[in-house]
Amino acid sequence: MTAKPSPEKLLALGMSFWNAKTLLSAVELGVFDALADSPADLATLTAKLGLHERSARDFFDALVAMKVLDRDANGRYANSPETEFFLVRTRPSYVGGLFEMANARLYSSWGNLTEALRTGRRQSENQEASDLFAALYADPKRLRGFLAAMSGVSAGAAQAIADKFPWRDYKTFVDVGAAQGMVPVTIAREHTHLTGVGFDLPQVGPIFEDFVAANELADRVRFHPGDFFKDELPKTDVIIMGHILHDWDLGQKRMLLRKAHDALSEGGALIVYEAMIDNDRRENAFGLLMSLNMLIETDGGFDFTGSDCEGWMKDAGFSSTRVEPLNGPNSMAVAFK
Amino acid sequence: MTAKPSPEKLLALGMSFWNAKTLLSAVELGVFDALADSPADLATLTAKLGLHERSARDFFDALVAMKVLDRDANGRYANSPETEFFLVRTRPSYVGGLFEMANARLYSSWGNLTEALRTGRRQSENQEASDLFAALYADPKRLRGFLAAMSGVSAGAAQAIADKFPWRDYKTFVDVGAAQGMVPVTIAREHTHLTGVGFDLPQVGPIFEDFVAANELADRVRFHPGDFFKDELPKTDVIIMGHILHDWDLGQKRMLLRKAHDALSEGGALIVYEAMIDNDRRENAFGLLMSLNMLIETDGGFDFTGSDCEGWMKDAGFSSTRVEPLNGPNSMAVAFK
């Protein structure tokens, strides 16, 4: 019997949208917020969240079985250590913005993956809009949600970049596509000799400045409004581009790398970080799926390997490059001018 | 650094709909059929499936990273042993019917999970239909797809039931809600002294009989048309109900258990198998999520623990009961008259 192949792993993989959507709905409904610092029994939690009694218990117990809630011997539900830290909305460590975006937009857009693969065309809700980001940035509420989501995605990588890059050799940096400012805030907090700039579209300014002020770094981290398709990048020692290049097609990627090269001082460095695909394209499933997400979400974007990125960096004029792993599926390609 | 909590597991869980939908689209597009018995390079496979070149390579390499395809040193893609066995449509071991159903219907219905949890109402596409199964069974093409999906779900459990139940003590059995007939065929093939009956709605008859004939068991396995809400069950030694009780509300569940008790000979046995929830409701995530799937798909259905089921069986008049694990998330509750 045991020699027969078993379909269990395949079935779990193909049905894992159940697990994913259950977690996304839990974030949407505020399950982890309701349990912040205070366990609650079934009736209390059901009432607090406004759930129908038919399936509330199954929902909470599914979250227990998925290890994102705990349940004590008295039947009281509590956040797990991870969800208490990462999925309570009021905490600075909140990463649920990504899930809010996934729940509100990506889950349904991904329903059209087959069509996207057949046509090569994006399937996100702004099919008609010529520029996804223009549409996103035109709506202040959606923009704030998107930027918070990006902070969630970037927090771990930001810490790893702060730890692994030789910051003592440099004085200034610019984070291109800075969003809320998770990366510049994390780096400036760890390295007090640095001053940093967040570069992004003007609409991002107030959101960035709120975040920097909340982290008490307004004296060393400031916002520089600009459009990297129209404007040059500010002169600096180190440029960071995180989850930026993957949004764009190859010509646009090369243009951005050239602008980074132009803006850097002699001996300066460019850090590109992404869920970079392993060079053999057979290990980093998340990076490859992120590239399919760029199919779903953008006109020409795609993710790439470290080796791809190093090649483009050299073509843009950089003299030496290297790739280093960061946290989880993320790596950084570093290029020196 | 390492003592800090990491969001990687949460992010992987919340975004796992990417992995799921990629596999579901691969089944829909016929990736595994195209590679049956014959590896193919990127260009050949892309052309064969009619994919756009933008993301074909990322798609196939994502399937490699998800371990459902292999890729050799010459860049030729091949099915993994599991996908060659379980996801090639022409093989008797095909379980992809479940994924076809998930892809065509469940993925999008689950997009409304939050609404379902708030209202307690199902979200499948036949919101208006008073009877999900009536609608399903009224459309021959959808019916055949649904029944094939059920075979995929049942194959492993059918084998485990054939192996674990003391069939030598009995001569006849009836599988209630037999669908295509995977369970009766598997049991009759392993135990040549048995004769079996598949009980289901009349529309299922031709599909059941095709499947039994293809397995050369028409002499010992026959179809008995009926509606378990209107009709009594056929008299027999052993009754099997697999993934039936969870479709219905508690009153309907109890009615079905009573009808099973009535139909059994003295000393006869009832086997109920499901992705049964563990008694402590904290381990079998798949069973708990299956119960949420019943919220999405049915008016009053829900999954249950082995202990719940044993209680209802005793209430229906059975004298002794036990629960045994089958394959994967499945268990059977056995009751003796």
Side-chain angles (χ1 to χ4, degrees), chain A residues 26 29-40 44-45 48-49 68-70 77-94:
Chain A
L29 287 163
V31 172
F32 308 108
D33 307 314
L35 294 172
D37 299 321
S38 59
T44 306
L45 189 56
K48 199 165 177 181
L49 300 175
V68 296
L69 290 185
D70 295 327
Y77 296 93
N79 287 334
S80 73
E82 287 75 21
T83 54
E84 180 74 22
F85 192 78
F86 290 114
L87 293 181
V88 174
R89 221 169 294 245
T90 50
R91 297 205 195 295
S93 49
Y94 181 65

Side-chain angles (χ1 to χ4, degrees), chain A residues 1 4-8 10-11 13-25 28-29 50-52 54-55 57-59 61-62 64-68 71 82-83 85-87 98-99 102 106-107 110-111 113-114 117-120 159 163 280-283 285-286 288-295 298-301 327-329, chain B residues 1 4-8 10-11 13-25 28-29 50-52 54-55 57-59 61-62 64-68 71 82-83 85-87 98-99 102 106-107 110-111 113-114 117-120 159 163 280-283 285-286 288-295 298-301 327-329:
Chain A
M1 289 306 303
K4 283 190 187 170
S6 159
E8 301 311 327
L10 283 177
L11 293 174
L13 179 62
M15 303 310 284
S16 60
F17 66 93
W18 285 1
N19 308 62
K21 189 63 180 72
T22 300
L23 179 57
L24 298 183
S25 283
E28 180 184 3
L29 287 163
L51 297 191
H52 190 280
R54 174 176 174 190
S55 299
R57 188 179 177 209
D58 288 341
F59 176 53
D61 287 342
V64 169
M66 288 159 56
K67 317 290 185 207
V68 296
R71 197 187 65 224
E82 287 75 21
T83 54
F85 192 78
F86 290 114
L87 293 181
L98 176 67
F99 293 159
L106 299 183
Y107 182 90
W110 268 73
L113 176 63
T114 302
L117 290 167
R118 285 188 173 132
T119 62
Q159 188 62 52
D163 294 337
D280 199 27
R281 298 175 58 88
R282 56 169 79 243
E283 295 300 331
F286 187 80
L288 288 155
L289 293 168
M290 181 64 86
S291 197
L292 295 183
N293 192 53
M294 293 301 109
L295 166 66
T298 73
D299 285 324
N327 67 318
Chain B
M1 289 306 303
K4 283 190 187 173
S6 161
E8 302 309 327
L10 282 178
L11 293 174
L13 178 62
M15 302 311 285
S16 60
F17 67 91
W18 285 1
N19 307 62
K21 189 62 181 69
T22 299
L23 179 57
L24 299 183
S25 283
E28 180 184 4
L29 287 162
L51 298 191
H52 191 280
R54 174 175 173 191
S55 298
R57 188 179 178 210
D58 288 340
F59 177 53
D61 287 342
V64 170
M66 287 159 58
K67 316 289 184 207
V68 295
R71 199 187 63 223
E82 287 76 22
T83 53
F85 192 77
F86 290 115
L87 293 181
L98 175 67
F99 293 158
L106 299 184
Y107 182 90
W110 269 73
L113 176 62
T114 301
L117 290 167
R118 284 186 173 135
T119 62
Q159 188 62 53
D163 295 338
D280 200 27
R281 299 173 57 89
R282 57 171 77 243
E283 294 300 331
F286 187 80
L288 288 155
L289 294 169
M290 181 64 87
S291 197
L292 295 183
N293 192 53
M294 293 301 110
L295 165 66
T298 73
D299 284 324
N327 67 318

Side-chain angles (χ1 to χ4, degrees), chain A residues 6-309:
Chain A
S6 159
E8 301 311 327
K9 275 189 192 171
L10 283 177
L11 293 174
L13 179 62
M15 303 310 284
S16 60
F17 66 93
W18 285 1
N19 308 62
K21 189 63 180 72
T22 300
L23 179 57
L24 298 183
S25 283
V27 171
E28 180 184 3
L29 287 163
V31 172
F32 308 108
D33 307 314
L35 294 172
D37 299 321
S38 59
D41 65 18
L42 174 63
T44 306
L45 189 56
T46 302
K48 199 165 177 181
L49 300 175
L51 297 191
H52 190 280
E53 66 177 9
R54 174 176 174 190
S55 299
R57 188 179 177 209
D58 288 341
F59 176 53
F60 301 137
D61 287 342
L63 294 168
V64 169
M66 288 159 56
K67 317 290 185 207
V68 296
L69 290 185
D70 295 327
R71 197 187 65 224
D72 69 17
N74 297 318
R76 293 189 316 163
Y77 296 93
N79 287 334
S80 73
E82 287 75 21
T83 54
E84 180 74 22
F85 192 78
F86 290 114
L87 293 181
V88 174
R89 221 169 294 245
T90 50
R91 297 205 195 295
S93 49
Y94 181 65
V95 302
L98 176 67
F99 293 159
E100 293 175 45
M101 184 171 84
N103 192 53
R105 200 170 81 229
L106 299 183
Y107 182 90
S108 64
S109 302
W110 268 73
N112 299 321
L113 176 63
T114 302
E115 175 72 6
L117 290 167
R118 285 188 173 132
T119 62
R121 297 183 60 183
R122 71 180 157 83
Q123 304 292 317
S124 50
E125 85 268 50
N126 294 295
Q127 272 276 20
E128 307 75 27
S130 62
D131 183 339
L132 171 71
F133 290 98
L136 196 59
Y137 279 59
D139 176 343
K141 184 154 177 264
R142 281 187 56 202
L143 177 60
R144 206 168 266 270
F146 176 75
L147 298 182
M150 293 303 100
S151 282
V153 180
S154 304
Q159 188 62 52
I161 293 169
D163 294 337
K164 293 191 170 192
F165 184 78
W167 289 106
R168 64 187 175 283
D169 301 340
Y170 303 93
K171 292 183 179 161
T172 61
F173 68 90
V174 173
D175 184 24
V176 174
Q180 206 175 27
M182 179 62 81
V183 169
V185 159
T186 305
I187 293 170
R189 189 169 50 208
E190 298 279 324
H191 302 281
T192 53
H193 70 286
L194 292 173
T195 58
V197 163
F199 180 94
D200 212 314
L201 293 173
Q203 301 91 306
V204 177
I207 301 168
F208 181 95
E209 283 163 357
D210 282 357
F211 189 76
V212 170
N215 284 277
E216 299 179 357
L217 285 164
D219 56 330
R220 289 191 291 118
V221 178
R222 65 184 179 79
F223 187 72
H224 182 114
D227 177 340
F228 53 52
F229 285 110
K230 296 180 188 147
D231 305 318
E232 296 309 301
L233 301 178
K235 303 287 177 195
T236 189
D237 295 341
V238 181
I239 288 178
I240 305 157
M241 289 184 183
H243 302 121
I244 297 299
L245 290 186
H246 78 155
D247 290 328
W248 308 104
D249 69 28
L250 184 55
Q252 293 164 320
K253 283 174 165 72
R254 289 186 181 278
M255 179 276 292
L256 289 169
L257 292 171
R258 276 196 308 272
K259 283 195 175 177
H261 188 267
D262 291 347
L264 286 172
S265 50
E266 275 318 300
L270 169 65
I271 301 170
V272 168
Y273 79 90
E274 306 264 3
M276 223 169 268
I277 300 167
D278 56 299
N279 286 343
D280 199 27
R281 298 175 58 88
R282 56 169 79 243
E283 295 300 331
N284 189 351
F286 187 80
L288 288 155
L289 293 168
M290 181 64 86
S291 197
L292 295 183
N293 192 53
M294 293 301 109
L295 166 66
I296 295 287
E297 287 267 283
T298 73
D299 285 324
F302 61 93
D303 285 71
F304 45 85
T305 67
S307 169
D308 292 334
C309 191

Side-chain angles (χ1 to χ4, degrees), chain B residues 40-56:
Chain B
D41 65 18
L42 174 63
T44 306
L45 189 56
T46 302
K48 201 165 177 180
L49 300 175
L51 298 191
H52 191 280
E53 66 177 9
R54 174 175 173 191
S55 298

